[in-house]
Every structure is written in structure tokens, then in C-alpha cells.
């Protein structure tokens, strides 16, 4: 056990984690030349297309140092703020972390937040400056930033290049020398933490775990502590690029278990595996529950596919524990699920994965956040969906979630970023110059304002330089109103939203204009209205397709023409009473792109 090292790689998005992992795998000869590829651990097509890591990936390496053989378990983690739950799970199963900083960009917001996550778990931090081969590299400046942030001696900061492979040998030596061996006892009852799982249509659910105490062997009778379900370990093994079966997995090591589990809810990330005969006293603690930030409804395009969608989301949840869902129904869209995501990119990725991996086409409703509604009876209700609001006369006030946002940017974009945050109802809490060129701004702002397009706008006004990170700080009272969209007097619940009173008129007007372009013309006039309660605040009309009924009248009295027009008017009125308006799917998505 003293020769095992468990470590992860943490960094801001695009600082070269996956490329550095490639070089480590090459240096330890874990994979043959045939198996090697660029970003070999990013196994999903989506990850390769978008150039980002979405899933944490575990892999075992063998390394010989001073005539001693070491086992290195590496977990490569994502860098985007929407996948920070993956990072927290990887950190919980490691004893050390490589903190990678891009030599051309320096420390950014996600670097700092991932560093704090690691320090909270008492991990040994090894700082690495990556991309030193670039012409724009500022190695000494970045080294000073790291020393100031962590408080380590300058000599402890390693330099490397994921592209050329420079400095990789020093990193491997530092991992062996600085990262502590896992603590635990092989004689104690089995305790293994599940940190990820994946569904295999032939073998059932494969759970990935780290053994904290004890030994797990092939054929053992095991049980999952929180669900209480018992299984037989059909196969256990270690994780390389493929699953490699072994007879036993000992304390401190990372591995997988296959036990023929077919139903997804039986495996929970963060659960503890133990033996049936000699169970451990308590589960492994310190594994936080995920808190979704953004809520949206997912509905099958074909109403008959509801059960298939449920099965697909359950299988996807195994592989992405930060996805939460519960059933709901809508008048416009039928039966579907209310899903919780960590952000808009996370929502987009889930939608794309449902389509690619399970062939499920879904309609997504307008994303919103969770509010606390205080009623006049003194109750506090959690509301995720505007249609779940009580009647306006019963509402005393509404609290909305607030976040503390940290934005790190070049000083020249300071003014534009401040204006953006103020437009989004942000309150400046502090500013701190990291260097003469870089400034860190701290804002308190409502989560609902950053859910839509804040991140995209921030990137465009700062030309991609600004980095953004946030954590929730609680709820605050807000002046919110429910904005309904009515088509011919009928509310469309999938388009209704909760919005701040100051923004409601502008948003309602733009929504009506957008819908007027998207809804096809019928044989009768369609009134599109935005309303707050009983008060209409905006209106557009889709004009009817008309036939010229007076074309056959020539000459004669005007009353003949008028009689025909009156008859047509009556028919249109009757048609409007029985006619219903189909809302095209683009209308639901258009609300996201009002700008």
C-alpha cells in the first residue's frame, strides 16, 4: 500500500490537463503506441468535438523510481464551472492534486475554486506551470502568482509542456515524493467509496470505487450500505483504458465491480460498498449532495416515448450524478420530467447525450431557477416552475437564490464587465488587483440573471479573457411577477416565466414579437398577449388568411358586398371559437435567444 499514489489533475478550462495526462501515460508506458491518441482520456465524441472534458476519467499507471515499483492512479477532471461536481468527486477519492496553470494566461477563477476544493479535503498540492514552450509564456510572472496564492517556495513550482513533453519526468518524481500514500487498514472491514458508474447493456451497471479499508475479492458477497441491497462480485478489476480483471483490489487502490445490477436507482454515487458477513459500522462520510442550479422540463417529442425517456434519463444519471429529475406534466406538452442541471452548458450536453446515446429527441422548456414563495398563511413553498405558484392573492413575498460571482479579467475590460453586472442587478462586493494587469471582481447577483446568457456575454465583451466562477450564498427577497403568454386567451404554461417586475414589460413585448414571426397563420386572427395576472402588457396579432368573397360581386348595391363580408366575419368568429393554435417547437427555443 505504501507504493500507491492517488492523484487528480485540476485546472481552469483549456489549461492543458488532458494533454498533460497524455504525456504522463506515455512516460509510464501505460498504453502502446497504437492505443495512444490526442486527449486519449476524453473518450466521448462530444468531448473531442467541443474540446472540453465533460467526465472525470480514472486510469492506472505503473512507474519505476529508485528501483521501486509504484502504482499511480490518475483522475483527469473537467475544468468548466458546470462540471465542478465531477471535480469534487474526483478530489474525494485522491490524496494529492496537480494544479495546472497555463503560462500564457496565469491564474483564473476556476483555478482558485478548484484549489479551495482540494485544500478542503487536505490534498497535497503540486503546482505545475504548463505550456512553457509557447512564445507568449510568462513563466516568472505566473510563478509569482502561484507562490502568492498557495504560499509555497518558488522552487516547489514545476514547469512543463504538455505538447513537447518537457518536465514530465520531474512531475512523476514529485508525485512519488510529495503525495502521501493512502491511509487505511487491510485488516479492517471493507469500506469502498463509489465515485462513478456507467451502464453497459450487456453486463449491467459497472460501478467505479476506491477502497478505503479492507480488501474486495472476486466472488465476495457484498452489499451497498445506503440502499442495503446485496450482490455477488462477479468481476472486480482495475481501470486502464479497458477494464482489466483482477482477483482482488486492496486498500488504497481504485477499481471497478460488476455484479449484474440491471436497475439504475440501486447504484448511488457516494455510496459505500461493504461485505455482507463483516459489514463496516458506518458509511464513508464527506460526500456532498449535488445542488442543481437551473431547472427545465424535458418532454418527449412523441408522447408514447415517455417510458423510454425515463429509462434513458436513469441510465444517463448513473454516468452523471449531478443530473436530478422528477416527473411533471404540462398542458401544452403532455407528460415529461422536471430536470435539475448545474448550468446551461450542462443542460445542452445532457440534451445532446440523450439524442446520441439513447436516440431520444426531446423538447426543452424555458430554463429557470428554484424560488421560495412565502404565503399569507405563513408557509414557505419551494417552487421550480411558474405553473406551481399559488394565486397572487395568497403570495406574501418571493425569495430568489443569490450567488457570489468571482470574475477575473484583464484590467482594460473592467468598465464593460461592471456595466454587464449592473444590468443583471449585481451588487459590487469587492475588487482586488492580482497584478497591475489583472483584476478580480466580486459581485452578489441573482442566479436567475446569469442562467440565460451571462457567460456568453461576459466572454464576448472580454474577448474570451474573463473567467467566471460562482457559489450560492442563499436567498433574498425580490420583486418578482409571473409573466404569462396567452394565445387567443389561453395561457401556454411552457412559455410562462417568473421575472423581475422592472424587466417584465420589455421581455413580454420582445416575446410577443418573436412569437408573431414563428406561429403560422391560420384561417382566423390569433391574438398573442403577454400578461401579468389580469393585466395585458403587450399584444401582437397574427393576421388571418383571407379569401376575397366579394370578387364575384360586380355592380349592384353596396349592401350586397356588405352582406357577404358580414357572413364571412361570422364564420371567422365561429372558427376562432373551435380552432386551436399549434405552437411550433422553435417557439420554445426562441425564448432563449431573444437577443
Amino acid at each position: 500500500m505504501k507504493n500507491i499514489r492517488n492523484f487528480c489533475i485540476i485546472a481552469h478550462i483549456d489549461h492543458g490537463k488532458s494533454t498533460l495526462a497524455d504525456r504522463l501515460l506515455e512516460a509510464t508506458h501505460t498504453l502502446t503506441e497504437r492505443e495512444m491518441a490526442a486527449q486519449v482520456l476524453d473518450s466521448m465524441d462530444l468531448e473531442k468535438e467541443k474540446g472540453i472534458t465533460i467526465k472525470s476519467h480514472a486510469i492506472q499507471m505503473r512507474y519505476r523510481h529508485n528501483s521501486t515499483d509504484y502504482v499511480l492512479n490518475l483522475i483527469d477532471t473537467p475544468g468548466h464551472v458546470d462540471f465542478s461536481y465531477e471535480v469534487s468527486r474526483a478530489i474525494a477519492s485522491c490524496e494529492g492534486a496537480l494544479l495546472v496553470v497555463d503560462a500564457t494566461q496565469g491564474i483564473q477563477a476556476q483555478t482558485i475554486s478548484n484549489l479551495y476544493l482540494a485544500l478542503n479535503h487536505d490534498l497535497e498540492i503540486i503546482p505545475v506551470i504548463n505550456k512553457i514552450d509557447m512564445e507568449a509564456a510568462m513563466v516568472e510572472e505566473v510563478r509569482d502568482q502561484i507562490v502568492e496564492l498557495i504560499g509555497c517556495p518558488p522552487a516547489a513550482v514545476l514547469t512543463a509542456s504538455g505538447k513537447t513533453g518537457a518536465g514530465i519526468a520531474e512531475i512523476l518524481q514529485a508525485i512519488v515524493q510529495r503525495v502521501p500514500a493512502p491511509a487505511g487498514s487491510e485488516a479492517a472491514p471493507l469500506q469502498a467509496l463509489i465515485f462513478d458508474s456507467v451502464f453497459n447493456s450487456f453486463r449491467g451497471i459497472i460501478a467505479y470505487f476506491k477502497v478505503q479499508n479492507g480488501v474486495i475479492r472476486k466472488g465476495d458477497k457484498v452489499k451497498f450500505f445506503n440502499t442495503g441491497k446485496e450482490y455477488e462480485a462477479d468481476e472486480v478489476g482495475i481501470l486502464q483504458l479497458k477494464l482489466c480483471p483482477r482477483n482482488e483490489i486492496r486498500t488504497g487502490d481504485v477499481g471497478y465491480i460488476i455484479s449484474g445490477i440491471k436497475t439504475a436507482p440501486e447504484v448511488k454515487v457516494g455510496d459505500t460498498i461493504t461485505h455482507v458477513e463483516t459489514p463496516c459500522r458506518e458509511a464513508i462520510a464527506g460526500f456532498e449532495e449535488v445542488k442543481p442550479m437551473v431547472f427545465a422540463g424535458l418532454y418527449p417529442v412523441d408522447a408514447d416515448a415517455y417510458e423510454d425517456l425515463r429509462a434513458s434519463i436513469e441510465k444517463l444519471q448513473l454516468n452523471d450524478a449531478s443530473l436530478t429529475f422528477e416527473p411533471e406534466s404540462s398542458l401544452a406538452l403532455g407528460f415529461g420530467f422536471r430536470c435539475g442541471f448545474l448550468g446551461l452548458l450542462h443542460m445542452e450536453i445532457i440534451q445532446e447525450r440523450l439524442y446520441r446515446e439513447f436516440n431520444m429527441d426531446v423538447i426543452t422548456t424555458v430554463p429557470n431557477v428554484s424560488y421560495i414563495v412565502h404565503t399569507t398563511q405563513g408557509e414557505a413553498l419551494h417552487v421550480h416552475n411558474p405553473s406551481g405558484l399559488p394565486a397572487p392573492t395568497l403570495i406574501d413575498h418571493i425569495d430568489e437564490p443569490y450567488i457570489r460571482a468571482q470574475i477575473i479579467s484583464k484590467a482594460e475590460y473592467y468598465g464593460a464587465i461592471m456595466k454587464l453586472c449592473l444590468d443583471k442587478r449585481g451588487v459590487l462586493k469587492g475588487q482586488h488587483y492580482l497584478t497591475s494587469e489583472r483584476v478580480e471582481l466580486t459581485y452578489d447577483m441573482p442566479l436567475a440573471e446569469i442562467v440565460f446568457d451571462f457567460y456568453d456575454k461576459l466572454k464576448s465583451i472580454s474577448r474570451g479573457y474573463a473567467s467566471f466562477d460562482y457559489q450560492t450564498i442563499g436567498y433574498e427577497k425580490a420583486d418578482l411577477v409571473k409573466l404569462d403568454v396567452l394565445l387567443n386567451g389561453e395561457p401556454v404554461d411552457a412559455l410562462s416565466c417568473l421575472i423581475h417586475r422592472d424587466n417584465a414589460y420589455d421581455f413580454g413585448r420582445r416575446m410577443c414579437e418573436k412569437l408573431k414571426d414563428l406561429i403560422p397563420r391560420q384561417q382566423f386572427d390569433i391574438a398573442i398577449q403577454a400578461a401579468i395576472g389580469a393585466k395585458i402588457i403587450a399584444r401582437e396579432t397574427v393576421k388571418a388568411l383571407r379569401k376575397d368573397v366579394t370578387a364575384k360581386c360586380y355592380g349592384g348595391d353596396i349592401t350586397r358586398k356588405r352582406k357577404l363580408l358580414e357572413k364571412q366575419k361570422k364564420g371567422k368568429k365561429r372558427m376562432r371559437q373551435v380552432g386551436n393554435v399549434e405552437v411550433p417547437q422553435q417557439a420554445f427555443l426562441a425564448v432563449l435567444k431573444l437577443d
Side-chain angles (χ1 to χ4, degrees):
M1 197 170 87
K2 65 180 192 297
N3 294 344
I4 294 175
R5 301 287 183 270
N6 297 319
F7 70 101
C8 58
I9 304 182
I10 54 177
H12 189 80
I13 189 167
D14 251 2
H15 280 205
K17 298 176 292 301
S18 301
T19 314
L20 198 67
D22 289 355
R23 299 293 86 77
L24 292 172
L25 294 175
E26 276 177 4
T28 53
H29 309 294
T30 304
L31 303 176
T32 61
E33 275 185 35
R34 255 182 73 193
E35 290 173 313
M36 264 322 281
Q39 280 91 26
V40 68
L41 293 181
D42 290 352
S43 53
M44 239 186 284
D45 291 343
L46 260 177
E47 293 179 312
K48 288 190 163 59
E49 281 168 31
K50 291 185 177 284
I52 56 174
T53 304
I54 294 169
K55 287 288 304 164
S56 297
H57 296 276
I59 192 163
Q60 192 173 93
M61 307 183 285
R62 305 259 161 192
Y63 175 60
R64 193 169 180 81
H65 177 64
N66 290 348
S67 66
T68 311
D69 286 329
Y70 290 91
V71 173
L72 309 181
N73 289 313
L74 153 71
I75 302 182
D76 178 29
T77 64
H80 198 282
V81 65
D82 278 16
F83 306 110
S84 54
Y85 189 60
E86 288 282 329
V87 183
S88 75
R89 295 193 343 230
I91 284 172
S93 31
C94 292
E95 283 82 35
L98 292 183
L99 180 74
V100 178
V101 182
D102 186 333
T104 62
Q105 296 184 42
I107 286 174
Q108 295 195 292
Q110 208 55 33
T111 318
I112 296 174
S113 73
N114 286 345
L115 171 69
Y116 287 150
L117 267 178
L119 290 174
N120 287 345
H121 282 80
D122 295 332
L123 295 201
E124 179 63 40
I125 307 291
I126 302 175
V128 178
I129 300 174
N130 193 22
K131 304 191 186 180
I132 56 167
D133 58 310
M134 304 275 279
E135 281 181 20
M138 315 170 289
V139 178
E140 291 312 314
E141 286 177 39
V142 176
R143 192 192 302 268
D144 293 343
Q145 287 177 23
I146 293 173
V147 168
E148 193 180 330
L149 182 68
I150 307 179
C152 62
V157 182
L158 305 176
T159 55
S161 164
K163 201 175 189 178
T164 63
I168 297 299
E170 289 80 3
I171 292 176
L172 285 166
Q173 284 171 20
I175 290 165
V176 169
Q177 288 160 3
R178 295 194 213 170
V179 176
S185 158
E186 289 192 2
L190 173 67
Q191 267 185 318
L193 174 77
I194 299 177
F195 64 87
D196 203 359
S197 54
V198 49
F199 185 82
N200 183 309
S201 46
F202 301 107
R203 311 202 60 184
I205 292 160
I206 304 170
Y208 301 157
F209 61 84
K210 180 200 174 189
V211 183
Q212 303 274 51
N213 288 306
V215 179
I216 183 168
R217 294 182 177 85
K218 184 179 174 181
D220 280 356
K221 280 261 191 286
V222 296
K223 78 168 181 182
F224 288 9
F225 202 89
N226 291 341
T227 56
K229 295 274 170 73
E230 299 184 0
Y231 309 101
E232 187 171 318
D234 297 338
E235 183 182 303
V236 295
I238 59 165
L239 298 159
Q240 287 188 332
L241 208 52
K242 299 186 285 289
L243 304 177
C244 301
R246 295 284 185 270
N247 287 327
E248 60 179 27
I249 306 287
R250 308 184 81 83
T251 302
D253 223 337
V254 173
Y256 71 90
I257 178 170
I258 300 176
S259 46
I261 309 168
K262 289 284 187 278
T263 51
E266 290 180 26
V267 180
K268 291 264 187 292
V269 164
D271 204 347
T272 303
I273 305 175
T274 186
H275 281 130
V276 175
E277 277 97 43
T278 53
C280 56
R281 295 244 180 93
E282 55 189 26
I284 299 167
F287 211 77
E288 65 206 46
E289 274 294 305
V290 61
K291 296 186 205 69
M293 298 290 169
V294 175
F295 293 88
L298 291 185
Y299 293 87
V301 173
D302 179 9
D304 299 340
Y306 175 73
E307 282 304 323
D308 297 345
L309 180 61
R310 178 196 289 276
S312 304
I313 294 179
E314 280 180 353
K315 287 172 188 168
L316 194 55
Q317 192 184 32
L318 278 173
N319 198 234
D320 186 349
S322 51
L323 170 68
T324 59
F325 70 96
E326 59 189 39
E328 74 162 3
S329 62
S330 144
L331 292 172
L333 301 169
F335 290 100
F337 295 95
R338 184 104 202 127
C339 299
F341 308 96
L342 295 184
L344 277 191
L345 177 70
H346 186 212
M347 182 174 114
E348 190 187 315
I349 296 290
I350 292 290
Q351 213 175 333
E352 190 66 28
R353 284 184 72 185
L354 278 171
Y355 180 67
R356 290 189 186 201
E357 294 171 29
F358 304 101
N359 207 14
M360 287 303 307
D361 228 346
V362 292
I363 295 173
T364 313
T365 63
V366 183
N368 52 28
V369 298
S370 158
Y371 298 93
I372 297 177
V373 179
H374 295 271
T375 62
T376 46
Q377 277 93 20
E379 293 177 303
L381 309 172
H382 278 270
V383 174
H384 303 314
N385 195 344
S387 58
L389 274 181
T393 49
L394 299 176
I395 298 174
D396 182 46
H397 65 275
I398 302 177
D399 292 346
E400 65 174 338
Y402 262 69
I403 56 152
R404 177 151 295 163
Q406 280 176 306
I407 300 166
I408 297 177
S409 166
K410 285 192 167 180
E412 62 195 90
Y413 306 121
Y414 182 83
I417 290 171
M418 279 189 83
K419 182 180 182 307
L420 174 67
C421 293
L422 290 171
D423 288 348
K424 300 282 186 185
R425 297 192 281 138
V427 178
L428 182 65
K429 285 292 170 188
Q431 57 185 28
H432 170 55
Y433 276 87
L434 302 170
T435 66
S436 59
E437 290 291 304
R438 298 163 66 78
V439 64
E440 178 186 19
L441 297 171
T442 308
Y443 271 91
D444 284 0
M445 55 208 305
L447 179 63
E449 293 286 348
I450 68 153
V451 158
F452 275 129
D453 51 4
F454 180 81
Y455 194 65
D456 296 342
K457 282 184 174 171
L458 179 69
K459 282 290 180 197
S460 60
I461 62 175
S462 66
R463 302 194 188 151
Y465 275 108
S467 62
F468 170 70
D469 182 49
Y470 63 87
Q471 66 266 6
T472 50
I473 54 171
Y475 286 77
E476 285 187 26
K477 190 173 172 181
D479 184 14
L480 299 171
V481 290
K482 182 186 176 191
L483 183 73
D484 284 314
V485 173
L486 312 175
L487 293 181
N488 276 348
E490 292 291 317
V492 183
D493 60 348
L495 290 174
S496 61
C497 58
L498 268 175
I499 190 163
H500 196 267
R501 194 182 294 275
D502 297 349
N503 302 342
Y505 288 89
D506 182 45
F507 188 76
R509 196 189 70 251
R510 282 172 25 213
M511 194 119 126
C512 289
E513 286 168 1
K514 193 83 174 178
L515 288 173
K516 184 186 175 185
D517 297 339
L518 291 169
I519 290 176
R521 290 171 72 186
Q522 308 278 347
Q523 295 285 337
F524 51 91
D525 282 0
I526 303 168
I528 304 168
Q529 295 165 312
I532 298 171
K535 185 181 179 187
I536 306 293
I537 58 167
R539 171 180 170 132
E540 294 286 337
T541 308
V542 179
K543 283 295 184 195
L545 295 163
R546 294 181 70 100
K547 178 183 168 192
D548 187 2
V549 287
T550 60
K552 61 179 183 255
C553 289
Y554 53 93
D557 194 4
I558 185 68
T559 52
R560 292 178 61 198
K561 285 189 176 181
R562 195 167 291 147
K563 185 175 153 192
L564 286 168
L565 288 168
E566 286 297 327
K567 193 174 161 191
Q568 184 188 31
K569 195 165 149 191
K570 233 180 260 173
K572 293 276 183 200
K573 194 173 175 186
R574 192 165 61 247
M575 201 183 285
R576 180 180 169 169
Q577 285 166 353
V578 295
N580 63 348
V581 184
E582 289 288 317
V583 183
Q585 191 184 339
Q586 293 102 329
F588 297 113
L589 304 174
V591 186
L592 305 181
K593 303 186 177 71
L594 275 181
D595 290 344

